[in-house]
Amino acid sequence: MSDKVIIFDTTLRDGEQSPGASMTKDEKVRIARQLERLKVDVIEAGFAASSEGDFQAISAVAAAIKDSIVCSLARANDKDITRAADALKFANAKRIHAFLATSPLHMAVKLRMSPEEVLEQSKRSIRFARNLADDIEFSAEDGYRSEMDFLCRVVEGVINEGATTINIPDTVGYATPELYGEFIKTLRTRVPNSDKAVWSVHCHNDLGMAVANSLAGVKIGGARQIECTVNGLGERAGNTALEEIVMALRTRKDYFDMVCGIDATQIVPASKLVSQITGFVVQPNKAVVGANAFAHTSGIHQDGILKNRETYEIMRAEDVGWSANKIVLGKLSGRNAFKQRLQELGIAIEAEADLNEAFVRFKSLADQKSEIFDEDIIAIMSNSATAEAAEHYHFLSLSQHSETGERPKSRVTFRVGDKEVSSEAEGNGPVDASLNAIEEVVKSGAEQLLYSVNAITSGTQSQGEVTVRLAKGGRIVNGVGTDPDIIAASAKAYLSALNKLHDPSQAKLNAQMTP
Ligand code: KIV
Ligand code: ZN
């Protein structure tokens, strides 16, 4: 029987540390539900002690998720560990993940601690954590640049105290596959109680080798847990990409001889959701989830594929959840057809009233756009009337005028609280004019960090999906808006970002600002 590799997803924690990728509580819950559909074994929902907002988000994820283990990161001290345990109180299955740096550089410069102090603190923290949970992971931060003898002593010590998973991060993405695999193997061989814990790999992608290093950690080193993120999201060049790991293990099962429990058909929906929420667009040639990952344009390739798809394809697009932009519904489709398509897409609707409300949205989109694709339905379902009613700023309508050689003008009507306001402004282009019109009223003074437009499906019939990233008072928020009219989508995205800045319950410092 093949060994199982545990898939530990850290999109909501390490992924969130990407500058600008900070997520609200509701966004984390939406992504966590998709990770559960994907059947990841462990969801690292955040870093409870980093902010009140992250504590609340972890608690909400813990309450919502039933099938995956929910985890919180904590520095290896009593206060952080207690906070992690409190956030995980309602989890069906919980894990506390404590970390402390073990490399000479980090110990001397960052921690200002001697190796003996680090060893003692590591052991003490795990002893403490074991009173609060049974499932405890210890990470030796910057583990790959740590001195082998010392690291062996730390790992042996924390396993003795009850750590059940040992994670050896390549925090700065310095490793190469063979060396990293050998490093894990040496550790496992030299630590006398190594068989009492699951070994885990956590690689950053600074040299573009995170996936290869993680796989080597499994194949050469004998690790049985891989830490990864959807789309490889993460600080700097990102983390190990979940979709690449899963498809490498599956496609090259002949070589790895390992299994994982992931439902690969949920990969593309997960990728799209993470990209939509964070505003981190997936590059077209990205393996597995890029728009071109399964596109063949050269005549020779197309000819080969038509004769036998295996000539040029090692994976099937539908196996990872690409739905081939099928026209699924249109103006004449009924409520039952809509409901059935939602079920096929794995979108759960609990209350009848929510279904009715979603169907009204669908009909209104179908009036604007004759062909409705799966992607459109996913976009419709990412909003709800209840959420919109609670919005402080809510888009109502827009008209704009632009002509070559003239400065565009826009008039935007939106709700502020329960008051309807209209405002007019000029700008460099119609989008700029529309956002200026909103800003005339709101006067947020927020700095615009990003504006990006994406077509949800192909062709000019597509809805535009706009992401606006704003910064104010140490907080960075993303707003997303979709509409067949990209100017309206831009205004919606801007108002959505302003809502997040306005809402105190979303008052979360950007993850990378954690003290
Ligand atoms: O990269 C790293 O070292 C980490 C640890 C905190 C697990 O993310
Ligand atoms: Zn990391």
Side-chain angles (χ1 to χ4, degrees):
M1 253 219 342
S2 313
D3 273 8
K4 176 169 176 183
V5 177
I6 295 167
I7 301 294
F8 175 116
D9 180 277
T10 182
T11 307
L12 302 179
R13 197 281 296 171
D14 215 335
E16 198 199 21
Q17 282 173 225
S18 257
S22 138
M23 301 162 213
T24 65
K25 177 173 86 180
D26 293 348
E27 289 168 343
K28 282 200 170 189
V29 172
R30 273 175 62 206
I31 292 179
R33 288 194 201 278
Q34 179 57 28
L35 293 173
E36 190 177 38
R37 279 194 278 276
L38 194 57
K39 298 194 191 321
V40 306
D41 299 285
V42 187
I43 297 173
E44 185 163 55
F47 182 176
S50 70
S51 68
E52 177 58 27
D54 219 25
F55 179 91
Q56 297 297 343
I58 297 166
S59 307
V61 170
I65 297 302
K66 294 288 159 270
D67 299 337
S68 312
I69 297 170
V70 181
C71 170
S72 169
L73 186 70
R75 281 165 292 205
N77 64 55
D78 296 2
K79 210 165 142 229
D80 268 33
I81 290 171
T82 307
R83 197 83 180 127
D86 288 348
L88 295 168
K89 195 155 80 192
F90 297 111
N92 210 19
K94 58 169 172 267
R95 173 178 296 186
I96 296 174
H97 177 189
F99 75 98
L100 193 58
T102 52
S103 68
L105 186 63
H106 278 229
M107 291 190 291
V109 177
K110 192 180 84 171
L111 300 176
R112 295 180 199 279
M113 286 169 78
S114 71
E116 288 313 309
E117 285 169 331
V118 166
L119 173 63
E120 279 318 307
Q121 186 167 327
S122 305
K123 292 197 291 189
R124 199 170 43 235
S125 68
I126 299 303
R127 199 177 313 139
F128 181 77
R130 272 312 292 249
N131 296 322
L132 304 173
D134 293 333
D135 186 346
I136 306 292
E137 173 165 335
F138 176 79
S139 277
E141 191 191 8
D142 206 18
Y144 180 65
R145 292 195 301 171
S146 302
E147 198 261 310
M148 179 59 76
D149 287 344
F150 175 64
L151 190 54
C152 285
R153 286 175 65 213
V154 172
V155 171
E156 182 185 354
V158 294
I159 295 178
N160 272 337
E161 297 294 348
T164 44
T165 300
I166 297 297
N167 185 37
I168 308 295
D170 177 23
T171 304
V172 292
Y174 181 67
T176 62
E178 228 181 323
L179 293 178
Y180 184 68
E182 289 298 338
F183 191 79
I184 305 285
K185 185 173 167 187
T186 308
L187 274 167
R188 284 186 56 243
T189 316
R190 290 192 37 192
V191 170
N193 50 3
S194 67
D195 59 328
K196 303 272 183 311
V198 173
W199 288 73
S200 168
V201 289
H202 175 114
C203 299
H204 282 264
N205 202 33
D206 298 67
L207 293 173
M209 290 189 277
V211 169
N213 290 340
S214 301
L215 290 169
V218 167
K219 180 76 181 168
I220 305 173
R224 288 295 177 266
Q225 174 176 286
I226 299 180
E227 302 200 349
C228 47
T229 59
V230 174
N231 300 337
L233 188 71
E235 269 184 290
R236 309 187 305 277
N239 284 63
T240 300
L242 176 146
E243 59 280 2
E244 295 178 24
I245 288 292
V246 170
M247 291 319 287
L249 291 175
R250 270 176 70 140
T251 311
R252 296 307 311 270
K253 184 158 186 310
D254 59 315
Y255 174 69
F256 291 108
D257 192 19
M258 307 274 167
V259 290
C260 69
I262 296 293
D263 174 359
T265 61
Q266 293 295 330
I267 285 179
V268 169
S271 161
K272 290 191 172 180
L273 183 65
V274 168
S275 163
Q276 188 214 36
I277 285 179
T278 58
F280 278 67
V281 175
V282 175
Q283 78 196 55
N285 58 334
K286 164 85 180 60
V288 185
V289 292
N292 286 353
F294 293 89
H296 298 270
T297 44
S298 105
I300 297 175
H301 284 207
Q302 284 177 346
D303 182 54
I305 292 273
L306 288 174
K307 288 178 176 140
N308 178 342
R309 66 192 300 166
E310 284 178 20
T311 47
Y312 287 103
E313 260 183 23
I314 55 163
M315 300 171 270
R316 297 189 316 169
E318 54 272 36
D319 289 350
V320 295
W322 284 106
S323 67
N325 278 355
K326 281 198 307 281
I327 302 169
V328 287
L329 297 171
K331 204 173 171 161
L332 299 177
S333 306
R335 196 169 165 284
N336 279 345
F338 177 65
K339 186 177 175 185
Q340 187 183 338
R341 196 61 207 144
L342 288 178
Q343 277 162 358
E344 284 161 8
L345 287 170
I347 301 174
I349 288 228
E350 267 126 52
E352 203 58 8
D354 293 343
L355 176 65
N356 293 340
E357 183 268 304
F359 186 61
V360 170
R361 270 165 202 283
F362 159 72
K363 280 289 185 189
S364 131
L365 181 62
D367 280 340
Q368 290 174 273
K369 188 173 182 286
S370 53
E371 299 167 335
I372 306 286
F373 299 95
D374 285 345
E375 289 79 355
D376 293 315
I377 296 181
I378 293 167
I380 291 173
M381 298 311 295
S382 64
N383 292 315
S384 78
T386 346
E388 280 183 5
E391 281 174 357
H392 184 66
Y393 304 112
H394 180 66
F395 175 82
L396 294 171
S397 64
L398 174 151
S399 72
Q400 61 86 23
H401 178 81
S402 52
E403 210 174 307
T404 312
E406 273 188 21
R407 212 164 146 71
K409 278 197 185 77
S410 185
R411 178 181 178 80
V412 186
T413 305
F414 56 110
R415 212 176 13 79
V416 182
D418 46 18
K419 216 170 103 210
E420 189 174 313
V421 292
S422 286
S423 163
E424 252 182 51
E426 291 185 354
N428 288 347
V431 170
D432 192 42
S434 305
L435 304 200
N436 287 345
I438 295 172
E439 197 53 31
E440 287 275 309
V441 175
V442 177
K443 300 195 188 323
S444 75
E447 185 190 353
Q448 266 184 43
L449 298 185
L450 172 101
Y451 170 81
S452 84
V453 192
N454 225 351
I456 290 193
T457 51
S458 51
T460 48
Q461 278 237 345
S462 169
Q463 286 200 85
E465 180 178 82
V466 173
T467 305
V468 172
R469 185 171 300 149
L470 299 180
K472 194 179 173 191
R475 292 173 59 210
I476 301 178
V477 295
N478 288 311
V480 178
T482 48
D483 199 282
D485 172 348
I486 58 164
I487 319 285
S490 306
K492 287 180 182 177
Y494 194 66
L495 290 169
S496 142
L498 290 176
N499 274 324
K500 288 184 184 170
L501 285 179
H502 178 264
D503 182 355
S505 73
Q506 304 191 359
K508 186 172 146 212
L509 276 185
N510 207 31
Q512 63 272 24
M513 293 181 179
T514 302

